[in-house]
Amino acid sequence: MAAHRVAVVVLNHFAPLDLGVPGQVFESAETPDGEKLYEVVTCSPDREPVRCTAGYTVLPDHDLDVLDTADTVLVPGIHAGRAMKDGTITDTLRAALQDRPRIMSICTGAFVLAAAGLLDGRPATTHWREAARFAALFPQVKLDPDVLFVDDGDVLTSAGVAAGLDLCLYVIKRDHGTEVANRAARRCVMPPWRDGGQAQYIERPLPHDGAGGTAATRDWMLAHLDAPLDLNALAAHARMSVRTFTRRFREETGMSPAKWLSGHRVRHARRLLETTDLGVEEVARRSGFGTAVSLRQHLHAAVGVAPLTYRHTFRSS
């Protein structure tokens, strides 16, 4: 099987860590036999040297012609340049980005995609700090500045550096399933990807570790996903009032206990569908949804398909 080629378009003022993310994460995706599933190449207009904001220059191996051989095109974030100043890019770059099978951006790379007209009328995200500038330059884009990443089929955008890691792992999971993505995450010494709908940042500071937090209760929730966990039970485990528990939980995770729990239950159900032959009713029971009907509703809301369709599509080989 030929490796899926990811072509990274490097532009002047690029964010250095954003450039390293796709090579590190996609190159970590392998079959159980160690076969590489992705090949990552870099390019720049006319293969010119490009300078980053950290004070050094890189020389990509290819010019933009390599995009014609790519299965996925990825644009890392930039910290300056035409796309961020006035919402324009060169005609050459604009033409090179058109009609690609799949195109992605990390952080402010979304400015480049928007300047190419690839986000018109579509949902997208970028770094929260640049959201106001983005919205002013590209009012035709359905910007959501609060999420980690947005999957709109053949166009995917993400927020800042860590969200780029999440997006790359998500794409590996979408392409090859949970087991491959989890192996890639372990190799990168990072946790499995976070949901794209999770908040980019938390408005209040994280509390200090130790007594008074909800971490222990979150661990307990993960160990008891199949149990009926209501707010009263969770607050009692944390030795807090329901009101205090709900507030602290949101401070620490960026979401409500119910949303956090539902997300992990869906994730567990997806893993069971991918890696076991359990019936849908049993998957629903083990993941805490109780009935196949409830599982079907939650899975459809999360990924848009029914359990058996999901299993057929993403079942590990």
Side-chain angles (χ1 to χ4, degrees):
M1 178 179 65
H4 181 112
R5 174 170 275 196
V6 178
V8 181
V9 181
V10 194
L11 304 173
N12 274 317
H13 315 290
F14 71 88
L17 196 52
D18 288 4
L19 174 58
V21 164
Q24 188 71 38
V25 178
F26 284 116
E27 289 285 353
S28 298
E30 301 177 344
T31 68
D33 297 328
E35 179 183 356
K36 294 287 187 182
L37 293 170
Y38 297 88
E39 174 196 14
V40 180
V41 298
T42 58
C43 65
S44 65
D46 297 323
R47 195 173 170 264
E48 291 182 346
V50 282
R51 191 164 180 80
C52 74
T53 53
Y56 60 85
T57 299
V58 300
L59 179 62
D61 288 344
H62 303 274
D63 62 20
L64 297 178
D65 288 344
V66 78
L67 300 187
D68 292 334
T69 70
D71 302 293
T72 295
V73 173
L74 188 149
V75 180
I78 53 174
H79 289 160
R82 287 174 54 175
M84 295 192 70
K85 181 180 180 181
D86 59 17
T88 66
I89 54 176
T90 65
D91 291 341
T92 299
L93 179 58
R94 183 185 182 93
L97 295 175
Q98 303 300 314
D99 302 319
R100 300 304 173 190
R102 180 166 69 192
I103 193 160
M104 302 166 54
S105 66
I106 296 176
C107 195
T108 49
F111 280 76
V112 178
L113 301 195
L118 300 174
L119 302 181
D120 289 358
R122 305 184 77 150
T125 194
T126 190
H127 194 289
W128 62 268
R129 193 172 181 178
E130 300 294 343
R133 184 194 308 205
F134 186 99
L137 288 173
F138 310 109
Q140 68 276 24
V141 179
K142 299 176 182 177
L143 179 68
D144 186 344
D146 296 325
V147 297
L148 292 177
F149 59 84
V150 172
D151 175 2
D152 195 38
D154 59 333
V155 178
L156 302 95
T157 52
S158 66
V161 174
L165 292 165
D166 293 317
L167 178 60
C168 291
L169 275 179
Y170 169 78
V171 167
I172 293 172
K173 177 179 172 60
R174 199 178 89 169
D175 290 348
H176 299 286
T178 298
E179 292 302 307
V180 172
N182 283 349
R183 284 198 302 270
R186 286 194 296 271
R187 184 170 178 181
C188 293
V189 196
M190 61 179 289
W193 61 276
R194 298 171 290 173
D195 255 356
Q198 189 167 327
Q200 278 194 35
Y201 63 101
I202 299 171
E203 295 182 357
R204 289 181 289 271
L206 288 172
H208 295 293
D209 291 336
T214 65
T217 299
R218 279 182 273 129
D219 289 342
W220 181 73
M221 292 163 72
L222 292 176
H224 298 84
L225 289 176
D226 59 340
L229 302 175
D230 59 25
L231 266 178
N232 288 325
L234 299 177
H237 183 274
R239 298 181 180 179
M240 301 177 189
S241 68
V242 169
R243 182 177 179 180
T244 299
F245 175 77
T246 302
R247 174 175 56 80
R248 291 189 179 175
F249 196 98
R250 185 177 290 278
E251 288 174 346
E252 295 174 26
T253 67
M255 62 184 71
S256 69
K259 184 175 181 180
W260 187 92
L261 180 60
S262 178
H264 280 282
R265 281 175 164 165
V266 167
R267 193 171 303 159
H268 185 54
R270 290 166 71 169
R271 182 179 177 84
L272 292 175
L273 289 168
E274 292 178 20
T275 61
T276 75
D277 294 319
L278 295 172
V280 174
E281 287 284 354
E282 182 63 13
V283 170
R285 187 190 69 78
R286 294 193 185 191
S287 54
F289 290 115
T291 68
V293 172
S294 180
L295 169 60
R296 193 172 295 112
Q297 291 172 342
H298 283 84
L299 188 65
H300 194 277
V303 296
V305 297
L308 292 181
T309 303
Y310 183 88
R311 170 172 277 166
H312 176 74
T313 303
F314 293 103
R315 183 65 184 265
S316 300
S317 57

